[in-house]
Amino acid sequence: MKLKFISYPFAIVAALLFCFSSSQAQQGGQLNWAKEGHAYYQIADGGITAVTLPKNERKVIVPNTLMNAPGLRATSISDFQLSDDGKKVLLFTNTKKVWRYNTRGDYYVTDLATNQVKQIGKDRPASSLMFAKFSPDGSKVAYVSKHNLYVEDVATGAVKTLTTDGTDRLINGTFDWVYEEEFDCRDGFRWSPDGSSIAYWQLDATKIKNFLMINNTDSIYPYTIPVEYPKVGQNPSACKIGIVDINTAKTTWMPVPGDAIQNYIPRMDWVPNSSSIILQQLNREQNVSKIFVVETKTATVKNIYSETDKAWIDAAEPWTWINDNKEFIWQSEKDGWKHYYRMNVDGKKQTLITKGPYDVIKSSLVDEKNNTFYFIASPYNATQKYLYKTKLDGKGKLEMVTSAVMPGTHSYDISPDGLYAYHRYQSANIRPLSEWMNLSTNNPLTMEGSLTNQLAKVPAVKNKVEFFKITTEDGVEMDGWMKKPDNFDQTKKYPVVFYVYGEPASQTVTDTYGVDQSSVYAGNMAKDGYIYISLENRGAPAPKGREWRKSIFQNIGRLNIRDQAMAAKKILEWSFVDKDRVAVWGWSGGGSSTLNLMFQYPEIYKTGIAIAAVANQLTYDNIYQERYMGSPLKSQEAYKLGSPINYAHNLKGNLLYIHGTGDDNVHYQNAEMLINELVKSRKVFQLMAYPNRTHGIYEGEGTSEHLALTFTKFLHDNCPPGGK
């Protein structure tokens, strides 16, 4: 996924991600459930505790004395996993960042029978181990270090090197920059069900060109920082799947059809209780998806399913298996809506589970025992999320589980047996709240902790975020939210600030808390007298059907920009909006949209602040940009027509451009290309470059505060606040 920044303050983001406890999984904030039943694990009182619902019965699994063994500190443990037999615990600590997330560090095994703690991979460089995991029988731990795979016997400490060819560019068991950024691929190996072998990805990035960032400040002489980065039109890394035998360390490469460079393999796993692997392959243009099943013992390959889309197809979700592993759950938009199917492993039979003109936003639980499929959807309001269920056999009706009396955004973390759930609720005007539920009765476990009880204590919001729909002159109905100034007087005219993203990576119009707050504004817009608005154009990943989402294909920088501008044009007809004080801002893809709006519709937008924007689409990475804009090898016309630099000569308003020179995602070259075009056209603008800061522009003392002060001063100077 292309990195982008929603305008929430940090404190609100923290509340959303970690409102349960710090013991959640390393990414995503989900509960660490036991494999079966309704117990979950958490770090508490310096140890690991199992909590069994519904009475919250607690049992210490790893005491704090073991969590603070030599080399360990309980407070630094980021994640943990239990072996399948529950007799050992693998602890992840001393973590370091790899691009976006802390995925390398040190690992320790705690033996619960002997109370012994051993470091895994102690002869490898400190904090270099990645994705360590137990073998199915718990006797071994496999891990990646410096792009090679290793397996270690837990009892003896004996280490076997499984691959030896790993280098900075030949990558075993994990991924290159662009696979991680755009396919969310990090952990690149899987134990076989019988523990005799490991399936792993190998990416050959040796032919990927380096993009050289320059550091001018950390030494007297500047130096370059290379990033392996395949830009639009450049070949991706070659990708293949190997099966390495644990005893012999011999790898057998799977004969996956198709060119290893011109096809991607974003998903792969073992078929449970078998010697076969299953994988998804996407072609270079990402509009053809194929599922292959490979029998690893004989290296025979079968294409069990293929799907084609006129636009693009996304990487699949992880496989969920049912019917004694004869079927799996599969998501597709082939009928115009994002629905889920159950598919035979031979591909001969598909059964639609979710039926109707609505999108499934997210699968929540496959409860095979009770023939129930739980999922998040919102058929009637694309800004919200609710829990629904239907029959797993495809013969059921759509049933809403969430109470309709709580409009907003709901999420559920459901126990594996489907009996209990941790329910989170929020809206644009209600801070995140949570409760434990009995899902079978749909009642809270305790009335004291119920959402109903908590909501009764929530103070009323005086100045609420308002949601609205607006229809443009093109007949496009768009969702939007608006926060009016405090003490709003409808007889006065106020400045309006539009917050925009506009690309397929994310929504901005969601009924979530903090949606109306901006981390780059030093103060409170409503208090200072601004109308703050965001609009959702076509192409955003809202649950409005395939046509809504994919109409932006080959049209980023045009269709989304016209939608935004035509909706803004309607808003400027409102009596309380000052047409001469109209500002727009955005970050990353939103920065690109800001530039395009300022350049293509200068009669509407008078002030713009663009942060870390893609000024030239041909400079961005191949997976993201080619997915949404088509193959540049056939034509680059769409890329050029959607790039802000081609319209820079139209600038009439006030522009502030901000970028970090150490941005490994959207390179600073975009800023310099844009500067050249503006200078060529004699366009006066303001520039703020942050030396060596990355895409988030947060590194270094005072950076975030300085960014907010710069943003706010420019906005005040060029789009003064307050009603007139």
Side-chain angles (χ1 to χ4, degrees):
M1 180 187 294
K2 185 177 180 180
L3 193 63
K4 56 85 79 177
F5 290 84
I6 297 284
S7 58
Y8 304 161
F10 173 79
I12 292 173
V13 173
L16 297 179
L17 290 179
F18 303 107
C19 61
F20 179 67
S21 87
S22 61
S23 70
Q24 306 319 315
Q26 168 183 334
Q27 299 164 27
Q30 296 299 302
L31 286 173
N32 196 337
W33 290 104
K35 292 189 68 175
E36 298 177 351
H38 41 267
Y40 64 93
Y41 303 106
Q42 66 174 168
I43 296 177
D45 301 322
I48 297 176
T49 301
V51 182
T52 303
L53 301 171
K55 296 181 179 181
N56 290 328
E57 298 161 318
R58 306 175 73 85
K59 179 183 178 182
V60 175
I61 303 299
V62 182
N64 56 16
T65 53
L66 296 183
M67 296 276 278
N68 289 283
L72 277 174
R73 284 185 301 113
T75 54
S76 69
I77 292 172
S78 300
D79 199 9
F80 61 89
Q81 59 177 279
L82 272 72
S83 58
D84 286 348
D85 60 12
K87 295 180 180 179
K88 301 183 185 74
V89 180
L90 187 61
L91 305 173
F92 183 44
T93 186
N94 303 325
T95 65
K96 303 293 182 182
K97 184 176 286 188
V98 178
W99 303 121
R100 300 284 170 258
Y101 299 97
N102 286 35
T103 53
R104 63 182 177 91
D106 296 325
Y107 285 87
Y108 291 78
V109 169
T110 299
D111 189 313
L112 302 181
T114 64
N115 286 334
Q116 289 186 321
V117 180
K118 295 182 179 180
Q119 184 177 2
I120 295 296
K122 61 184 178 181
D123 294 331
R124 302 300 304 159
S127 295
S128 73
L129 272 62
M130 304 177 73
F131 314 115
K133 53 182 78 76
F134 285 115
S135 59
D137 65 2
S139 67
K140 301 177 180 65
V141 172
Y143 53 85
V144 171
S145 178
K146 299 290 184 178
H147 292 168
N148 275 313
L149 271 163
Y150 300 83
V151 65
E152 183 166 333
D153 187 284
V154 174
T156 66
V159 178
K160 178 172 287 188
T161 303
L162 299 180
T163 66
T164 58
D165 55 356
T167 66
D168 286 346
R169 293 303 186 89
L170 193 65
I171 304 166
N172 296 302
T174 185
F175 298 90
D176 62 4
W177 183 93
V178 72
Y179 257 78
E180 173 171 326
E181 181 71 15
E182 307 302 356
F183 286 141
D184 204 28
C185 290
R186 295 176 184 87
D187 180 356
F189 72 93
R190 309 283 186 266
W191 276 102
S192 66
D194 65 3
S196 66
S197 60
I198 287 174
Y200 68 98
W201 277 265
Q202 183 187 82
L203 269 69
D204 183 351
T206 55
K207 295 183 180 179
I208 302 298
K209 294 181 180 179
N210 278 332
F211 184 85
L212 300 177
M213 300 185 295
I214 189 165
N215 185 321
N216 283 307
T217 63
D218 290 348
S219 64
I220 298 301
Y221 288 94
Y223 59 90
T224 58
I225 302 167
V227 179
E228 62 194 40
Y229 192 104
K231 289 181 177 285
V232 166
Q234 301 295 309
N235 280 336
S237 299
C239 176
K240 57 184 179 179
I241 302 295
I243 309 297
V244 60
D245 185 283
I246 298 303
N247 292 324
T248 66
K250 178 184 177 182
T251 291
T252 302
W253 299 107
M254 298 296 98
V256 180
D259 187 88
I261 295 175
Q262 300 305 323
N263 291 282
Y264 301 108
I265 303 177
R267 301 292 181 260
M268 180 273 292
D269 210 338
W270 290 90
V271 177
N273 300 324
S274 79
S275 57
S276 296
I277 60 169
I278 186 168
L279 62 90
Q280 180 196 28
Q281 181 193 71
L282 291 171
N283 65 331
R284 170 79 177 267
E285 294 183 58
Q286 298 171 71
N287 59 7
V288 178
S289 172
K290 296 180 180 180
I291 305 176
F292 291 101
V293 172
V294 186
E295 170 47 58
T296 63
K297 300 293 186 184
T298 61
T300 55
V301 184
K302 183 180 180 182
N303 177 199
I304 67 165
Y305 179 75
S306 298
E307 184 176 329
T308 302
D309 194 289
K310 293 180 180 178
W312 70 85
I313 297 175
D314 293 316
E317 297 176 2
W319 277 274
T320 299
W321 294 88
I322 56 176
N323 190 18
D324 293 327
N325 305 317
K326 297 174 185 175
E327 296 178 89
F328 57 89
I329 306 298
W330 188 254
Q331 180 265 314
S332 173
E333 293 179 302
K334 62 185 178 181
D335 70 350
W337 300 93
K338 187 174 287 186
H339 280 311
Y340 281 75
Y341 299 76
R342 52 191 299 165
M343 185 179 298
N344 282 40
V345 73
D346 60 8
K348 294 180 179 179
K349 183 181 179 182
Q350 304 165 35
T351 303
L352 177 62
I353 301 171
T354 54
K355 300 176 181 178
Y358 64 89
D359 284 310
V360 176
I361 298 172
K362 179 179 179 289
S363 169
S364 296
L365 180 73
V366 176
D367 183 1
E368 187 174 11
K369 180 180 178 181
N370 294 299
N371 189 31
T372 303
F373 180 61
Y374 291 96
F375 57 94
I376 299 295
S378 188
Y380 310 110
N381 188 326
T383 72
Q384 300 175 339
K385 294 180 180 179
Y386 301 94
L387 184 66
Y388 285 82
K389 68 179 181 179
T390 191
K391 297 297 183 183
L392 185 59
D393 59 15
K395 299 178 181 179
K397 296 180 180 179
L398 181 67
E399 297 181 55
M400 188 173 181
V401 178
T402 305
S403 171
V405 300
M406 295 182 188
T409 298
H410 298 257
S411 65
Y412 294 76
D413 206 331
I414 305 174
S415 63
D417 60 8
L419 290 179
Y420 302 100
Y422 188 66
H423 175 203
R424 300 173 178 91
Y425 168 59
Q426 62 178 301
S427 75
N429 298 300
I430 298 175
R431 283 183 175 273
L433 303 172
S434 60
E435 67 177 356
W436 282 104
M437 293 182 58
N438 182 323
L439 205 56
S440 61
T441 63
N442 210 19
N443 291 321
L445 292 188
T446 65
M447 286 308 300
E448 182 181 356
S450 69
L451 289 182
T452 302
N453 190 52
Q454 295 178 62
L455 285 168
K457 301 175 184 178
V458 173
V461 177
K462 293 181 179 180
N463 184 8
K464 293 185 176 183
V465 177
E466 302 173 31
F467 285 82
F468 62 89
K469 293 182 182 293
I470 196 161
T471 302
T472 71
E473 63 186 52
D474 299 326
V476 179
E477 184 184 74
M478 297 167 59
D479 288 309
W481 57 253
M482 169 172 55
K483 183 70 173 283
K484 291 177 181 174
D486 294 344
N487 303 313
F488 174 73
D489 183 344
Q490 63 180 4
T491 66
K492 294 183 178 181
K493 290 186 178 294
Y494 294 89
V496 60
V497 178
F498 289 99
Y499 169 58
V500 63
Y501 182 67
E503 296 200 10
S506 189
Q507 292 178 254
T508 61
V509 182
T510 58
D511 196 356
T512 52
Y513 191 75
V515 72
D516 60 311
Q517 302 297 312
S518 173
S519 61
V520 292
Y521 186 80
N524 184 298
M525 285 197 189
K527 184 177 180 180
D528 290 346
Y530 286 107
I531 300 171
Y532 196 28
I533 292 177
S534 192
L535 300 160
E536 204 82 275
N537 53 258
R538 285 174 293 171
K544 291 185 172 183
R546 179 202 172 280
E547 291 305 313
W548 172 273
R549 289 186 292 274
K550 295 185 176 179
S551 58
I552 201 171
F553 181 62
Q554 296 185 322
N555 272 304
I556 292 177
R558 290 184 290 168
L559 177 139
N560 55 328
I561 301 308
R562 180 166 176 83
D563 278 359
Q564 290 283 336
M566 293 304 98
K569 185 178 177 182
K570 288 287 185 182
I571 288 171
L572 297 193
E573 296 175 0
W574 296 350
S575 62
F576 50 83
V577 171
D578 189 338
K579 297 179 181 179
D580 296 322
R581 290 184 290 166
V582 180
V584 60
W585 86 276
W587 198 317
S588 191
S592 309
S593 295
T594 297
L595 293 175
N596 269 321
L597 290 167
M598 289 291 292
F599 299 160
Q600 295 184 38
Y601 294 94
E603 71 280 6
I604 295 176
Y605 302 95
K606 305 300 191 295
T607 297
I609 303 174
I611 305 175
V614 177
N616 180 352
Q617 292 186 21
L618 292 171
T619 68
Y620 200 60
D621 77 64
N622 54 7
I623 293 181
Y624 180 94
Q625 215 67 43
E626 292 177 13
R627 176 191 302 153
Y628 301 125
M629 295 298 287
S631 172
L633 305 178
K634 297 178 180 178
S635 173
Q636 295 185 358
E637 187 69 12
Y639 289 81
K640 294 175 181 177
L641 292 174
S643 294
I645 58 170
N646 293 299
Y647 306 97
H649 60 276
N650 292 328
L651 176 64
K652 293 181 181 178
N654 312 296
L655 175 64
L656 169 62
Y657 187 77
I658 300 171
H659 212 130
T661 68
D663 192 335
D664 63 289
N665 185 353
V666 179
H667 300 141
Y668 186 70
Q669 74 176 155
N670 282 274
E672 297 193 341
M673 288 181 174
L674 177 65
I675 291 167
N676 277 342
E677 291 302 314
L678 291 167
V679 169
K680 186 196 317 183
S681 298
R682 282 75 170 173
K683 298 297 180 180
V684 177
F685 65 101
Q686 291 192 30
L687 171 71
M688 182 64 227
Y690 285 92
N692 306 321
R693 273 64 166 193
T694 62
H695 198 54
I697 313 182
Y698 61 87
E699 301 88 352
E701 183 178 355
T703 298
S704 297
E705 293 84 355
H706 185 273
L707 174 59
L709 291 169
T710 301
F711 179 103
T712 306
K713 185 178 188 303
F714 185 83
L715 185 62
H716 283 189
D717 289 348
N718 295 283
C719 184
K724 293 182 179 179

